[in-house]
Amino acid sequence: TCTTPVANAVITVYDDVAAVAVNTIAVITLPATLLGGPFTALFDAQLTRGLTVVTSGATAIWTVTYI
């Protein structure tokens, strides 16, 4: 969930214990002009190596839940 969206912020999700490009699950890039407030993205993905999340956008606030 992104509770505080920031224009052009990016979150990248990897199926690995490190940010390895070949194991990218998703890249979410927020638009330059934000159209709304908080949002949630759900992924029904099986992870085999681990979970790494990399963000940009210094003031964006993200909450990641892995079950």
Side-chain angles (χ1 to χ4, degrees):
T1 300
C2 184
T3 56
T4 307
V6 174
N8 299 313
V10 177
I11 184 169
T12 307
V13 182
Y14 301 92
D15 177 11
D16 211 320
V17 295
V20 177
V22 297
N23 297 323
T24 302
I25 294 174
V27 178
I28 301 169
T29 304
L30 301 185
T33 303
L34 298 174
L35 301 176
F39 71 92
T40 299
L42 301 174
F43 295 94
D44 185 16
Q46 183 175 357
L47 302 175
T48 58
R49 295 175 184 85
L51 175 64
T52 298
V53 177
V54 178
T55 64
S56 70
T59 58
I61 298 174
W62 302 90
T63 301
V64 177
T65 304
Y66 172 65
I67 299 173

